[in-house]
C-alpha cells in the first residue's frame, strides 16, 4: 500500500485524484487530505476516505472541522495552517504527495515534500513560476521524484528522452511545443474582450477546472505560466518553447527532435490521465478516462497565438527573460488581478494592464531565498491591490449599475 497526501483535496484536481485512487483500493491509501476552508466538503471526504489527517489552512475552519469529526466519531487528526500542510506533506509514512493547492499558497507545502524526498505529483504550477530554481534544487537535494501533472508537461514528460542531459540539444531535442486550447475567447475582437464578464470567463470549452486557472486559460496567462513551468521542468530556454493554439485539446503537447520527428501525447481532455500516470509511474494503471476516438475527433487544428489580443502570454515570456524574481512578481500580480476580476472590481482587460504595470514598476532582483520570494510576493500583491483601489473606471461602472 502506498500512502498519499493530497494537498488541495477539495479542488478539481484533488477530487479527480481521489477518483483515480478509489479505482485502485488495494494499491493506494489516503494518508492526509487538505483544504483551505470548506468544512462541509472536507467532512464529506473524511467520512468517505478515512484519512489519518485532515488539514484546514484556515484556523477557524480547522476548529469547526475538529468539532464535526468528533461528533461523527471519525478517527482523524485535524491540523491547521501552513504548519499542518507542511507536516502532512513531509510525514515519514507518506510516499506520494499530490500538490494541487491553487496559487502561491501551494509553494511551502510542495517545498516541504521536495525536501523530504517524496514522489511529488506537481499540479501547482505556481510553485515553479515563483521559485523554480529553489524548488528544483530542493527536489535534487531531497532526492525527490518530480512528476508533472499539468497535462502539457505530463505529455512532454511522456515523450521526452529518459536519459539525463545538461542541454536539451544533447538528447536531440529541438523544441518543446506547448499546446493551448486558446480559451473561450479565441475568436473575440478587442471590443468583445472589453465586455467579458466573470460568468463568461468561467466557461472553458474543453476542461473542467478551478476558477483561477479557468480565467488564466482565457487570458492565455495559464499558457504563460506553463512556459515558465516548462523552462524549469525541462531545462528549456525561452526560445526552445513554442506555444501552438490547438482548439480541440486532444494533443496535450509535443517534443520536436532534430531529425524532424515530432512526438506527441494524445488523449481525451481529462486530468485523470496525467494523475494516474503520476500515481503509478513508471507503471500504467487505469484512470477511468474514455479512450480517445480519433474518428470522432476527425479534425485537429493549429494556429499561432495572438499576443496582441492576449498580452499575458507575452508578459510571461518577458518575465522569464527578465529572470530572477520577475516571474514571482507576475504570478502574485495575476492572482490579485484575477481575484479582483472575479469580484467584478476590475474589467477583463484590466488584468493584462495591471500585470504590465506591475512588471514595469517593481524591479526584478536575483533570487536568494524563499523568505525573499515570499516578501516580494507580498509586495507585488500590495502594489496591485493599491493600483486597483486607485482605478477610477470600475467604481464608476458600479455606481451607474447600482
Ligand atoms: P481549485 O480551485 O479547484 O482547488 C484548489 C484547492 O486548493 C482547494 O482544495 C482549496 O481548498 C485549496 N486552497 C485554495 N487556497 C488555499 C490556501 N490559501 N491554502 C491552502 N489551500 C488552499 O483548483 P484546481 O483547478 O484543482 O487547480 C489546482 C492547481 O492545479 C492549480 O495550481 C492549477 O493551476 C493546477 N492545474 C489544474 C488543472 C485542472 O484541470 N484543474 C490542470 C492543470 C493544472
Ligand atoms: Mg495545463
Amino acid at each position: 500500500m502506498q500512502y498519499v497526501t493530497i494537498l488541495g483535496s477539495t479542488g478539481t484536481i484533488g477530487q479527480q485524484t481521489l477518483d483515480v485512487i478509489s479505482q485502485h483500493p488495494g494499491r493506494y491509501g489516503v494518508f492526509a487530505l487538505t483544504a483551505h476552508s470548506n468544512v462541509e466538503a472536507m467532512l464529506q471526504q473524511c467520512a468517505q476516505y478515512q484519512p489519518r489527517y485532515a488539514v484546514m489552512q484556515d484556523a477557524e475552519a480547522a476548529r469547526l472541522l475538529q468539532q464535526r469529526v468528533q461528533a461523527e466519531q471519525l478517527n482523524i487528526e485535524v491540523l491547521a495552517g501552513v504548519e499542518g500542510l507542511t507536516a502532512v506533506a513531509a510525514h515519514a509514512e507518506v510516499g506520494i504527495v499530490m500538490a494541487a493547492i491553487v496559487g502561491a499558497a501551494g509553494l511551502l507545502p510542495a517545498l516541504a515534500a521536495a525536501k523530504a524526498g517524496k514522489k511529488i505529483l506537481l499540479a501547482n504550477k505556481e510553485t515553479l513560476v515563483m521559485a523554480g530554481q529553489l524548488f528544483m534544487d530542493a527536489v535534487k537535494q531531497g532526492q525527490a521524484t518530480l512528476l508533472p501533472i499539468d497535462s502539457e508537461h505530463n505529455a512532454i514528460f511522456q515523450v521526452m528522452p529518459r536519459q539525463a542531459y545538461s542541454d536539451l540539444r544533447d538528447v536531440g531535442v529541438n523544441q518543446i511545443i506547448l499546446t493551448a486550447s486558446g480559451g473561450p475567447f479565441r475568436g473575440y475582437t478587442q471590443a468583445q474582450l472589453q465586455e467579458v464578464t466573470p460568468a463568461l470567463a468561467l466557461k472553458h470549452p474543453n476542461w473542467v477546472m478551478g476558477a483561477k486557472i479557468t480565467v488564466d486559460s482565457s487570458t492565455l496567462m495559464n499558457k504563460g505560466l506553463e512556459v515558465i513551468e516548462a523552462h524549469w521542468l525541462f531545462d528549456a530556454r525561452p526560445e526552445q518553447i513554442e506555444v501552438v493554439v490547438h482548439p480541440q485539446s486532444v494533443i496535450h503537447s509535443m517534443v520536436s527532435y532534430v531529425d524532424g520527428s515530432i512526438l506527441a501525447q494524445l488523449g481525451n481532455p481529462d486530468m485523470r490521465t496525467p494523475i494516474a500516470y503520476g500515481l503509478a509511474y513508471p507503471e500504467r494503471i487505469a484512470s477511468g478516462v474514455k479512450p480517445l476516438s480519433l474518428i470522432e475527433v476527425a479534425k485537429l487544428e493549429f494556429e499561432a497565438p495572438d499576443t496582441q489580443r492576449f498580452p499575458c502570454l507575452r508578459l510571461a515570456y518577458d518575465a522569464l527573460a527578465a529572470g530572477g524574481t520577475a516571474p514571482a512578481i507576475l504570478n502574485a500580480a495575476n492572482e490579485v488581478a484575477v481575484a479582483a476580476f472575479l469580484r467584478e472590481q476590475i474589467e477583463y482587460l484590466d488584468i493584462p494592464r495591471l500585470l504590465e504595470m506591475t512588471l514595469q514598476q517593481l524591479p526584478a532582483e536575483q533570487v536568494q531565498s524563499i523568505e525573499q520570494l515570499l516578501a516580494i510576493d507580498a509586495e507585488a500583491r500590495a502594489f496591485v491591490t493599491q493600483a486597483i483601489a486607485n482605478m477610477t473606471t470600475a467604481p464608476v461602472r458600479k455606481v451607474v449599475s447600482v
Side-chain angles (χ1 to χ4, degrees):
M1 185 78 103
Q2 298 175 62
Y3 286 99
V4 186
T5 280
I6 304 177
L7 302 166
S9 64
T10 56
T12 317
I13 294 287
Q15 291 174 43
Q16 292 177 99
T17 305
L18 286 167
D19 180 312
V20 177
I21 285 177
S22 336
Q23 296 173 49
H24 304 276
R27 186 167 177 139
Y28 303 107
V30 178
F31 183 81
L33 297 175
T34 88
H36 180 247
S37 55
N38 188 338
V39 174
E40 288 309 318
M42 178 55 90
L43 191 69
Q44 196 268 324
Q45 289 189 339
C46 283
Q48 189 173 349
Y49 296 99
Q50 310 271 334
R52 183 103 64 87
Y53 291 94
V55 187
M56 302 304 286
Q57 158 76 26
D58 182 79
E60 176 60 16
R63 202 182 57 75
L64 284 174
L65 182 71
Q66 173 70 50
Q67 287 174 355
R68 301 287 299 274
V69 158
Q70 247 163 1
E72 314 243 340
Q73 299 190 326
L74 296 168
N75 187 18
I76 295 169
E77 198 169 327
V78 176
L79 304 176
V82 73
E83 298 77 17
L85 295 173
T86 51
V88 295
H91 197 286
E93 285 171 56
V94 171
I96 303 175
V97 175
M98 163 55 83
I101 290 173
V102 61
L107 172 62
L108 292 178
L111 199 62
K115 287 182 180 159
K118 303 303 180 196
K119 173 166 158 176
I120 306 169
L121 277 48
L122 188 71
N124 177 255
K125 64 193 83 186
E126 294 90 346
T127 285
L128 281 173
V129 174
M130 273 185 84
Q133 186 68 63
L134 296 178
F135 183 73
M136 295 308 283
D137 289 349
V139 166
K140 206 181 252 176
Q141 277 157 21
Q143 296 181 316
T145 305
L146 181 59
L147 296 164
I149 297 303
D150 211 348
S151 59
E152 296 76 3
H153 307 74
N154 188 268
I156 294 161
F157 186 83
Q158 292 196 38
V159 296
M160 200 67 140
R162 278 287 161 264
Q163 64 265 45
Y165 57 86
S166 57
D167 189 309
L168 275 175
R169 286 171 303 190
D170 297 346
V171 286
V173 172
N174 190 29
Q175 234 183 0
I176 281 171
I177 306 171
L178 283 179
T179 52
S181 72
F185 312 132
R186 189 165 52 94
Y188 273 38
T189 62
Q190 197 71 15
Q192 287 173 306
L193 288 174
Q194 186 71 45
E195 303 300 321
V196 166
T197 59
L200 275 177
L202 287 174
K203 279 195 204 128
H204 193 277
N206 305 338
W207 296 93
V208 179
M209 305 179 289
K212 189 245 175 194
I213 180 174
T214 306
V215 175
D216 284 351
S217 298
S218 79
T219 59
L220 290 199
M221 177 46 83
N222 183 50
K223 212 47 55 181
L225 299 177
E226 290 183 357
V227 167
I228 301 171
E229 184 184 12
H231 163 74
W232 291 113
L233 283 172
F234 305 112
D235 240 326
R237 293 190 303 278
E239 66 276 14
Q240 291 175 315
I241 309 168
E242 188 191 359
V243 172
V244 171
V245 173
H246 162 47
Q248 290 80 14
S249 297
V250 162
I251 297 183
H252 299 312
S253 277
M254 300 171 254
V255 175
S256 157
Y257 287 87
V258 284
D259 62 1
S261 301
I262 292 184
L263 300 193
Q265 185 260 354
L266 287 73
N268 277 314
D270 187 321
M271 289 305 290
R272 290 176 303 170
T273 296
I275 291 167
Y277 183 89
L279 279 171
Y281 178 82
E283 284 175 54
R284 294 216 183 234
I285 54 168
S287 65
V289 177
K290 199 170 86 174
L292 176 71
S293 160
L294 287 170
I295 308 266
E296 264 172 44
V297 175
K299 207 163 78 173
L300 298 178
E301 294 166 301
F302 306 95
E303 64 190 46
D306 183 342
T307 52
Q308 291 289 337
R309 277 180 306 136
F310 300 100
C312 289
L313 179 58
R314 172 179 57 77
L315 291 173
Y317 271 105
D318 289 351
L320 182 56
T325 56
I329 293 171
L330 179 71
N331 179 64
N334 182 55
E335 286 190 33
V336 175
V338 169
F341 167 69
L342 288 172
R343 287 193 305 267
E344 297 191 53
Q345 280 179 324
I346 61 169
E347 312 259 349
Y348 187 68
L349 290 180
D350 289 332
I351 299 175
R353 278 185 207 121
L354 283 164
L355 302 192
E356 179 127 46
M357 182 167 93
T358 312
L359 280 179
Q360 276 168 5
Q361 296 292 319
L362 301 185
E365 299 167 16
Q366 267 196 332
V367 173
Q368 273 142 13
S369 66
I370 289 294
E371 294 70 30
Q372 170 215 20
L373 284 171
L374 294 176
I376 279 167
D377 174 87
E379 189 191 348
R381 281 168 201 270
F383 178 85
V384 182
T385 305
Q386 187 57 50
I388 291 170
N390 294 345
M391 281 166 57
T392 50
T393 50
V396 168
R397 190 179 58 150
K398 279 274 167 287
V399 172
V400 169
S401 63
V402 162

